[in-house]
Amino acid sequence: MDTVTVHTSWTHIGRLWTNGEPYLAVDAAGRRFWRGLSDDEYDRIVDMTPEETSIAVAGSTALLVGADGVVRDDSWMEVFESAEGTLAIVQASGPDYRRTLESALNHPSAIDDVGDALSVPSGDLAIFSAALDGIGEHAMPLSPPQSGPPPLEHGPPSREPDTGLLLPARGNGYRLRVRWYTKIDDQSCFARWLLLPVHDRQPT
């Protein structure tokens, strides 16, 4: 089993809006094969259990990340990256939003659920809504990572079209760790998805 460390330094690189649906994290070259809306492929995900953390896409794999309905239904998912290249996707709820995010990022990960692995041979990772297509008319635009401070408040959805992320992979693949609904105090909770980079070998 991989050793998982808690990182003390994270950079906020983007936020993703969900109406309750998970997002896919997939090799960017393979996103064209996902037709969540056009071919109703999203229906394959609806009845999946939390223990299932990936879905087959044209012979490859896409990781399911984000959207814990116990934390929130309609929600922002904040995306962070560590200096080591680990990605953290955090869904949080609480009166002090930034403090809740910080608590989520620094929460021990030793007992997180072990998810599946993802290969990224193209060198780029795409993260987008599973309810839409990977490319084309019904696809979500993808934005590059934008470093900045994490938001002070959760806030409402943007008035602009929802976007996903397209970012350079920090390894040749990722391994997923998931922490579902976790209570911090009587008013604050979070869920967290960690994508741990794999170097110099293909994930299995």
Side-chain angles (χ1 to χ4, degrees):
M1 182 179 296
D2 293 335
T3 299
V4 182
T5 57
V6 175
H7 303 272
T8 57
S9 178
W10 295 91
T11 300
H12 186 263
I13 61 170
R15 56 193 335 217
L16 309 168
W17 179 261
T18 174
N19 291 309
E21 81 282 6
Y23 273 51
L24 297 183
V26 66
D27 179 61
R31 65 188 177 101
R32 66 184 185 277
F33 297 114
W34 180 256
R35 297 177 62 82
L37 180 62
S38 296
D39 292 347
D40 296 324
E41 285 197 308
Y42 181 67
D43 291 345
R44 295 166 53 197
I45 294 175
V46 172
D47 294 326
M48 293 176 69
T49 66
E51 289 76 21
E52 299 175 271
T53 58
S54 69
I55 190 168
V57 180
S60 186
T61 298
L63 299 178
L64 296 167
V65 297
D68 184 324
V70 182
V71 177
R72 306 181 72 115
D73 288 325
D74 299 343
S75 176
W76 285 111
M77 299 181 294
E78 311 295 347
V79 186
F80 298 83
E81 186 173 34
S82 76
E84 297 84 358
T86 296
L87 296 173
I89 299 172
V90 178
Q91 193 176 9
S93 177
D96 189 335
Y97 189 63
R98 184 169 288 184
R99 185 188 70 82
T100 304
L101 291 173
E102 291 173 354
S103 296
L105 291 170
N106 292 308
H107 200 85
S109 55
I111 62 171
D112 288 4
D113 290 347
V114 178
D116 292 323
L118 171 68
S119 181
V120 189
S122 74
D124 291 314
L125 180 71
I127 304 176
F128 59 91
S129 171
L132 300 175
D133 295 347
I135 63 171
E137 179 185 0
H138 303 295
M140 169 178 279
L142 303 185
S143 300
Q146 298 182 356
S147 301
L152 287 171
E153 299 179 349
H154 179 274
S158 173
R159 295 181 179 179
E160 302 298 322
D162 295 333
T163 62
L165 278 173
L166 179 65
L167 60 159
R170 297 286 293 273
N172 63 325
Y174 291 91
R175 292 184 183 276
L176 180 64
R177 291 273 186 144
V178 183
R179 173 168 286 276
W180 298 104
Y181 169 79
T182 300
K183 194 173 182 179
I184 299 173
D185 55 41
D186 289 342
Q187 296 181 292
S188 306
C189 61
F190 73 89
R192 182 185 67 192
W193 294 260
L194 294 176
L195 279 71
L196 305 157
V198 176
H199 299 280
D200 300 326
R201 61 187 174 90
Q202 292 295 324
T204 56

